PDB file of all heavy atoms in Angstrom:
ATOM      1  N   LEU A1007       0.822  -1.212  -0.003  1.00 96.00           N
ATOM      2  CA  LEU A1007      -0.002  -0.003   0.003  1.00 96.00           C
ATOM      3  C   LEU A1007       0.863   1.258  -0.001  1.00 96.00           C
ATOM      4  O   LEU A1007       0.564   2.232  -0.707  1.00 96.00           O
ATOM      5  CB  LEU A1007      -0.909   0.000   1.239  1.00 96.00           C
ATOM      6  CG  LEU A1007      -2.130  -0.918   1.184  1.00 96.00           C
ATOM      7  CD1 LEU A1007      -2.768  -1.015   2.561  1.00 96.00           C
ATOM      8  CD2 LEU A1007      -3.141  -0.407   0.170  1.00 96.00           C
ATOM      9  N   CYS A1008       1.924   1.228   0.798  1.00 96.00           N
ATOM     10  CA  CYS A1008       2.814   2.390   0.837  1.00 96.00           C
ATOM     11  C   CYS A1008       3.432   2.653  -0.538  1.00 96.00           C
ATOM     12  O   CYS A1008       3.595   3.813  -0.943  1.00 96.00           O
ATOM     13  CB  CYS A1008       3.911   2.176   1.880  1.00 96.00           C
ATOM     14  SG  CYS A1008       3.300   2.206   3.595  1.00 96.00           S
ATOM     15  N   ALA A1009       3.753   1.586  -1.243  1.00 95.00           N
ATOM     16  CA  ALA A1009       4.269   1.755  -2.601  1.00 95.00           C
ATOM     17  C   ALA A1009       3.215   2.390  -3.495  1.00 95.00           C
ATOM     18  O   ALA A1009       3.497   3.284  -4.300  1.00 95.00           O
ATOM     19  CB  ALA A1009       4.728   0.417  -3.154  1.00 95.00           C
ATOM     20  N   ASP A1010       1.973   1.924  -3.356  1.00 94.00           N
ATOM     21  CA  ASP A1010       0.885   2.515  -4.157  1.00 94.00           C
ATOM     22  C   ASP A1010       0.665   3.982  -3.802  1.00 94.00           C
ATOM     23  O   ASP A1010       0.394   4.813  -4.684  1.00 94.00           O
ATOM     24  CB  ASP A1010      -0.422   1.747  -3.913  1.00 94.00           C
ATOM     25  CG  ASP A1010      -0.395   0.345  -4.509  1.00 94.00           C
ATOM     26  OD1 ASP A1010       0.496   0.086  -5.346  1.00 94.00           O
ATOM     27  OD2 ASP A1010      -1.288  -0.452  -4.152  1.00 94.00           O
ATOM     28  N   PHE A1011       0.762   4.296  -2.520  1.00 94.00           N
ATOM     29  CA  PHE A1011       0.532   5.662  -2.040  1.00 94.00           C
ATOM     30  C   PHE A1011       1.715   6.589  -2.309  1.00 94.00           C
ATOM     31  O   PHE A1011       1.590   7.807  -2.232  1.00 94.00           O
ATOM     32  CB  PHE A1011       0.249   5.679  -0.540  1.00 94.00           C
ATOM     33  CG  PHE A1011      -1.012   4.966  -0.119  1.00 94.00           C
ATOM     34  CD1 PHE A1011      -1.194   4.614   1.213  1.00 94.00           C
ATOM     35  CD2 PHE A1011      -1.991   4.668  -1.044  1.00 94.00           C
ATOM     36  CE1 PHE A1011      -2.349   3.957   1.609  1.00 94.00           C
ATOM     37  CE2 PHE A1011      -3.156   4.013  -0.649  1.00 94.00           C
ATOM     38  CZ  PHE A1011      -3.347   3.653   0.675  1.00 94.00           C
ATOM     39  N   GLY A1012       2.883   5.993  -2.598  1.00 95.00           N
ATOM     40  CA  GLY A1012       4.086   6.794  -2.810  1.00 95.00           C
ATOM     41  C   GLY A1012       4.644   7.337  -1.498  1.00 95.00           C
ATOM     42  O   GLY A1012       5.190   8.455  -1.457  1.00 95.00           O
ATOM     43  N   CYS A1013       4.527   6.562  -0.421  1.00 96.00           N
ATOM     44  CA  CYS A1013       5.038   7.009   0.887  1.00 96.00           C
ATOM     45  C   CYS A1013       5.893   5.918   1.499  1.00 96.00           C
ATOM     46  O   CYS A1013       5.853   4.745   1.092  1.00 96.00           O
ATOM     47  CB  CYS A1013       3.866   7.345   1.817  1.00 96.00           C
ATOM     48  SG  CYS A1013       2.840   5.930   2.264  1.00 96.00           S
ATOM     49  N   ALA A1014       6.703   6.278   2.483  1.00 96.00           N
ATOM     50  CA  ALA A1014       7.536   5.322   3.193  1.00 96.00           C
ATOM     51  C   ALA A1014       6.700   4.570   4.222  1.00 96.00           C
ATOM     52  O   ALA A1014       5.710   5.079   4.739  1.00 96.00           O
ATOM     53  CB  ALA A1014       8.687   6.046   3.865  1.00 96.00           C
ATOM     54  N   LEU A1015       7.112   3.350   4.543  1.00 97.00           N
ATOM     55  CA  LEU A1015       6.441   2.558   5.561  1.00 97.00           C
ATOM     56  C   LEU A1015       6.603   3.260   6.915  1.00 97.00           C
ATOM     57  O   LEU A1015       7.701   3.611   7.336  1.00 97.00           O
ATOM     58  CB  LEU A1015       7.071   1.164   5.646  1.00 97.00           C
ATOM     59  CG  LEU A1015       6.599   0.284   6.801  1.00 97.00           C
ATOM     60  CD1 LEU A1015       5.129  -0.102   6.631  1.00 97.00           C
ATOM     61  CD2 LEU A1015       7.474  -0.968   6.912  1.00 97.00           C
ATOM     62  N   ASP A1016       5.467   3.467   7.600  1.00 97.00           N
ATOM     63  CA  ASP A1016       5.459   4.037   8.938  1.00 97.00           C
ATOM     64  C   ASP A1016       4.339   3.342   9.716  1.00 97.00           C
ATOM     65  O   ASP A1016       3.166   3.701   9.629  1.00 97.00           O
ATOM     66  CB  ASP A1016       5.223   5.558   8.908  1.00 97.00           C
ATOM     67  CG  ASP A1016       5.507   6.226  10.240  1.00 97.00           C
ATOM     68  OD1 ASP A1016       5.677   5.508  11.241  1.00 97.00           O
ATOM     69  OD2 ASP A1016       5.531   7.476  10.292  1.00 97.00           O
ATOM     70  N   LEU A1017       4.725   2.298  10.444  1.00 98.00           N
ATOM     71  CA  LEU A1017       3.786   1.463  11.202  1.00 98.00           C
ATOM     72  C   LEU A1017       4.074   1.688  12.680  1.00 98.00           C
ATOM     73  O   LEU A1017       5.205   1.478  13.131  1.00 98.00           O
ATOM     74  CB  LEU A1017       3.962  -0.002  10.817  1.00 98.00           C
ATOM     75  CG  LEU A1017       3.240  -1.066  11.636  1.00 98.00           C
ATOM     76  CD1 LEU A1017       1.738  -0.873  11.575  1.00 98.00           C
ATOM     77  CD2 LEU A1017       3.628  -2.458  11.121  1.00 98.00           C
ATOM     78  N   ARG A1018       3.058   2.084  13.444  1.00 97.00           N
ATOM     79  CA  ARG A1018       3.286   2.444  14.840  1.00 97.00           C
ATOM     80  C   ARG A1018       2.404   1.628  15.786  1.00 97.00           C
ATOM     81  O   ARG A1018       1.319   1.232  15.420  1.00 97.00           O
ATOM     82  CB  ARG A1018       3.027   3.943  15.043  1.00 97.00           C
ATOM     83  CG  ARG A1018       3.805   4.844  14.099  1.00 97.00           C
ATOM     84  CD  ARG A1018       3.634   6.302  14.444  1.00 97.00           C
ATOM     85  NE  ARG A1018       4.232   7.152  13.422  1.00 97.00           N
ATOM     86  CZ  ARG A1018       4.336   8.466  13.508  1.00 97.00           C
ATOM     87  NH1 ARG A1018       3.898   9.128  14.570  1.00 97.00           N
ATOM     88  NH2 ARG A1018       4.907   9.167  12.527  1.00 97.00           N
ATOM     89  N   GLY A1019       2.919   1.431  17.004  1.00 97.00           N
ATOM     90  CA  GLY A1019       2.119   0.819  18.055  1.00 97.00           C
ATOM     91  C   GLY A1019       2.335  -0.656  18.245  1.00 97.00           C
ATOM     92  O   GLY A1019       1.604  -1.308  19.008  1.00 97.00           O
ATOM     93  N   LEU A1020       3.363  -1.250  17.618  1.00 97.00           N
ATOM     94  CA  LEU A1020       3.612  -2.670  17.823  1.00 97.00           C
ATOM     95  C   LEU A1020       4.284  -2.916  19.170  1.00 97.00           C
ATOM     96  O   LEU A1020       5.009  -2.062  19.679  1.00 97.00           O
ATOM     97  CB  LEU A1020       4.535  -3.221  16.705  1.00 97.00           C
ATOM     98  CG  LEU A1020       3.983  -3.271  15.281  1.00 97.00           C
ATOM     99  CD1 LEU A1020       4.928  -4.074  14.407  1.00 97.00           C
ATOM    100  CD2 LEU A1020       2.570  -3.827  15.224  1.00 97.00           C
ATOM    101  N   THR A1021       4.056  -4.073  19.734  1.00 96.00           N
ATOM    102  CA  THR A1021       4.739  -4.465  20.958  1.00 96.00           C
ATOM    103  C   THR A1021       6.128  -5.007  20.608  1.00 96.00           C
ATOM    104  O   THR A1021       6.415  -5.339  19.450  1.00 96.00           O
ATOM    105  CB  THR A1021       3.962  -5.541  21.713  1.00 96.00           C
ATOM    106  OG1 THR A1021       3.906  -6.728  20.892  1.00 96.00           O
ATOM    107  CG2 THR A1021       2.542  -5.068  22.009  1.00 96.00           C
ATOM    108  N   GLN A1022       6.955  -5.132  21.629  1.00 96.00           N
ATOM    109  CA  GLN A1022       8.286  -5.693  21.393  1.00 96.00           C
ATOM    110  C   GLN A1022       8.182  -7.141  20.889  1.00 96.00           C
ATOM    111  O   GLN A1022       8.972  -7.549  20.015  1.00 96.00           O
ATOM    112  CB  GLN A1022       9.105  -5.645  22.701  1.00 96.00           C
ATOM    113  CG  GLN A1022      10.548  -6.051  22.515  1.00 96.00           C
ATOM    114  CD  GLN A1022      11.372  -5.816  23.782  1.00 96.00           C
ATOM    115  OE1 GLN A1022      10.818  -5.806  24.874  1.00 96.00           O
ATOM    116  NE2 GLN A1022      12.654  -5.603  23.614  1.00 96.00           N
ATOM    117  N   GLU A1023       7.205  -7.875  21.406  1.00 96.00           N
ATOM    118  CA  GLU A1023       7.022  -9.263  20.982  1.00 96.00           C
ATOM    119  C   GLU A1023       6.633  -9.328  19.488  1.00 96.00           C
ATOM    120  O   GLU A1023       7.070 -10.229  18.755  1.00 96.00           O
ATOM    121  CB  GLU A1023       5.947  -9.949  21.812  1.00 96.00           C
ATOM    122  CG  GLU A1023       6.334 -10.209  23.263  1.00 96.00           C
ATOM    123  CD  GLU A1023       6.307  -8.969  24.129  1.00 96.00           C
ATOM    124  OE1 GLU A1023       5.725  -7.942  23.683  1.00 96.00           O
ATOM    125  OE2 GLU A1023       6.878  -9.010  25.232  1.00 96.00           O
ATOM    126  N   GLN A1024       5.863  -8.354  19.035  1.00 97.00           N
ATOM    127  CA  GLN A1024       5.499  -8.330  17.633  1.00 97.00           C
ATOM    128  C   GLN A1024       6.682  -7.997  16.741  1.00 97.00           C
ATOM    129  O   GLN A1024       6.863  -8.569  15.665  1.00 97.00           O
ATOM    130  CB  GLN A1024       4.372  -7.337  17.405  1.00 97.00           C
ATOM    131  CG  GLN A1024       3.007  -7.807  17.915  1.00 97.00           C
ATOM    132  CD  GLN A1024       1.955  -6.758  17.790  1.00 97.00           C
ATOM    133  OE1 GLN A1024       2.143  -5.596  18.184  1.00 97.00           O
ATOM    134  NE2 GLN A1024       0.822  -7.117  17.227  1.00 97.00           N
ATOM    135  N   THR A1025       7.516  -7.063  17.167  1.00 97.00           N
ATOM    136  CA  THR A1025       8.666  -6.708  16.340  1.00 97.00           C
ATOM    137  C   THR A1025       9.622  -7.893  16.183  1.00 97.00           C
ATOM    138  O   THR A1025      10.346  -8.004  15.183  1.00 97.00           O
ATOM    139  CB  THR A1025       9.456  -5.510  16.925  1.00 97.00           C
ATOM    140  OG1 THR A1025       9.985  -5.848  18.221  1.00 97.00           O
ATOM    141  CG2 THR A1025       8.548  -4.289  17.053  1.00 97.00           C
ATOM    142  N   ALA A1026       9.618  -8.794  17.170  1.00 97.00           N
ATOM    143  CA  ALA A1026      10.489  -9.971  17.097  1.00 97.00           C
ATOM    144  C   ALA A1026      10.088 -10.888  15.963  1.00 97.00           C
ATOM    145  O   ALA A1026      10.886 -11.745  15.520  1.00 97.00           O
ATOM    146  CB  ALA A1026      10.470 -10.731  18.422  1.00 97.00           C
ATOM    147  N   GLN A1027       8.863 -10.754  15.435  1.00 96.00           N
ATOM    148  CA  GLN A1027       8.400 -11.579  14.328  1.00 96.00           C
ATOM    149  C   GLN A1027       8.899 -11.013  12.969  1.00 96.00           C
ATOM    150  O   GLN A1027       8.790 -11.695  11.948  1.00 96.00           O
ATOM    151  CB  GLN A1027       6.882 -11.652  14.311  1.00 96.00           C
ATOM    152  CG  GLN A1027       6.280 -12.318  15.541  1.00 96.00           C
ATOM    153  CD  GLN A1027       4.768 -12.357  15.436  1.00 96.00           C
ATOM    154  OE1 GLN A1027       4.212 -12.769  14.427  1.00 96.00           O
ATOM    155  NE2 GLN A1027       4.085 -11.916  16.486  1.00 96.00           N
ATOM    156  N   LEU A1028       9.393  -9.805  12.979  1.00 97.00           N
ATOM    157  CA  LEU A1028       9.806  -9.144  11.753  1.00 97.00           C
ATOM    158  C   LEU A1028      11.328  -9.165  11.621  1.00 97.00           C
ATOM    159  O   LEU A1028      12.027  -9.052  12.614  1.00 97.00           O
ATOM    160  CB  LEU A1028       9.268  -7.709  11.713  1.00 97.00           C
ATOM    161  CG  LEU A1028       7.764  -7.546  11.846  1.00 97.00           C
ATOM    162  CD1 LEU A1028       7.395  -6.071  11.925  1.00 97.00           C
ATOM    163  CD2 LEU A1028       7.031  -8.217  10.692  1.00 97.00           C
ATOM    164  N   SER A1029      11.807  -9.243  10.411  1.00 96.00           N
ATOM    165  CA  SER A1029      13.250  -9.362  10.182  1.00 96.00           C
ATOM    166  C   SER A1029      13.986  -8.074  10.522  1.00 96.00           C
ATOM    167  O   SER A1029      13.687  -7.007   9.940  1.00 96.00           O
ATOM    168  CB  SER A1029      13.510  -9.714   8.714  1.00 96.00           C
ATOM    169  OG  SER A1029      14.887  -9.588   8.412  1.00 96.00           O
ATOM    170  N   PRO A1030      14.966  -8.127  11.417  1.00 96.00           N
ATOM    171  CA  PRO A1030      15.767  -6.941  11.706  1.00 96.00           C
ATOM    172  C   PRO A1030      16.656  -6.520  10.550  1.00 96.00           C
ATOM    173  O   PRO A1030      17.160  -5.406  10.523  1.00 96.00           O
ATOM    174  CB  PRO A1030      16.610  -7.364  12.920  1.00 96.00           C
ATOM    175  CG  PRO A1030      16.680  -8.855  12.822  1.00 96.00           C
ATOM    176  CD  PRO A1030      15.397  -9.307  12.220  1.00 96.00           C
ATOM    177  N   ASP A1031      16.844  -7.421   9.577  1.00 96.00           N
ATOM    178  CA  ASP A1031      17.618  -7.050   8.382  1.00 96.00           C
ATOM    179  C   ASP A1031      16.793  -6.180   7.453  1.00 96.00           C
ATOM    180  O   ASP A1031      17.362  -5.396   6.670  1.00 96.00           O
ATOM    181  CB  ASP A1031      18.054  -8.317   7.654  1.00 96.00           C
ATOM    182  CG  ASP A1031      19.019  -9.155   8.465  1.00 96.00           C
ATOM    183  OD1 ASP A1031      19.818  -8.578   9.245  1.00 96.00           O
ATOM    184  OD2 ASP A1031      18.953 -10.389   8.376  1.00 96.00           O
ATOM    185  N   ALA A1032      15.470  -6.325   7.512  1.00 96.00           N
ATOM    186  CA  ALA A1032      14.585  -5.593   6.601  1.00 96.00           C
ATOM    187  C   ALA A1032      13.980  -4.355   7.246  1.00 96.00           C
ATOM    188  O   ALA A1032      13.681  -3.364   6.531  1.00 96.00           O
ATOM    189  CB  ALA A1032      13.481  -6.506   6.086  1.00 96.00           C
ATOM    190  N   TYR A1033      13.808  -4.386   8.565  1.00 97.00           N
ATOM    191  CA  TYR A1033      13.080  -3.310   9.224  1.00 97.00           C
ATOM    192  C   TYR A1033      13.885  -2.682  10.354  1.00 97.00           C
ATOM    193  O   TYR A1033      14.706  -3.331  11.006  1.00 97.00           O
ATOM    194  CB  TYR A1033      11.770  -3.832   9.812  1.00 97.00           C
ATOM    195  CG  TYR A1033      10.855  -4.476   8.785  1.00 97.00           C
ATOM    196  CD1 TYR A1033      10.790  -5.865   8.670  1.00 97.00           C
ATOM    197  CD2 TYR A1033      10.099  -3.699   7.924  1.00 97.00           C
ATOM    198  CE1 TYR A1033       9.965  -6.452   7.727  1.00 97.00           C
ATOM    199  CE2 TYR A1033       9.271  -4.279   6.979  1.00 97.00           C
ATOM    200  CZ  TYR A1033       9.208  -5.650   6.885  1.00 97.00           C
ATOM    201  OH  TYR A1033       8.387  -6.240   5.949  1.00 97.00           O
ATOM    202  N   ALA A1034      13.622  -1.395  10.555  1.00 98.00           N
ATOM    203  CA  ALA A1034      14.213  -0.675  11.696  1.00 98.00           C
ATOM    204  C   ALA A1034      13.116  -0.408  12.713  1.00 98.00           C
ATOM    205  O   ALA A1034      12.010   0.002  12.353  1.00 98.00           O
ATOM    206  CB  ALA A1034      14.826   0.641  11.227  1.00 98.00           C
ATOM    207  N   PHE A1035      13.436  -0.641  13.986  1.00 98.00           N
ATOM    208  CA  PHE A1035      12.475  -0.487  15.069  1.00 98.00           C
ATOM    209  C   PHE A1035      12.935   0.595  16.030  1.00 98.00           C
ATOM    210  O   PHE A1035      14.131   0.704  16.356  1.00 98.00           O
ATOM    211  CB  PHE A1035      12.298  -1.796  15.831  1.00 98.00           C
ATOM    212  CG  PHE A1035      12.103  -2.990  14.954  1.00 98.00           C
ATOM    213  CD1 PHE A1035      13.076  -3.966  14.856  1.00 98.00           C
ATOM    214  CD2 PHE A1035      10.943  -3.133  14.204  1.00 98.00           C
ATOM    215  CE1 PHE A1035      12.903  -5.084  14.042  1.00 98.00           C
ATOM    216  CE2 PHE A1035      10.745  -4.246  13.396  1.00 98.00           C
ATOM    217  CZ  PHE A1035      11.733  -5.215  13.311  1.00 98.00           C
TER     218      PHE A1035
END
């Protein structure tokens, strides 16, 4: 969706446990 909108990814409000499911190589927390 961000690509369609022409904006950078900005996702807020995740818990620390949720961020652990996402790749630290791909995302900055």
Side-chain angles (χ1 to χ4, degrees):
L1007 284 168
C1008 291
D1010 290 345
F1011 296 163
C1013 65
L1015 172 67
D1016 192 350
L1017 171 60
R1018 305 187 189 187
L1020 294 190
T1021 64
Q1022 187 172 26
E1023 291 75 15
Q1024 286 175 311
T1025 63
Q1027 297 181 49
L1028 303 175
S1029 169
D1031 295 327
Y1033 302 101
F1035 312 111

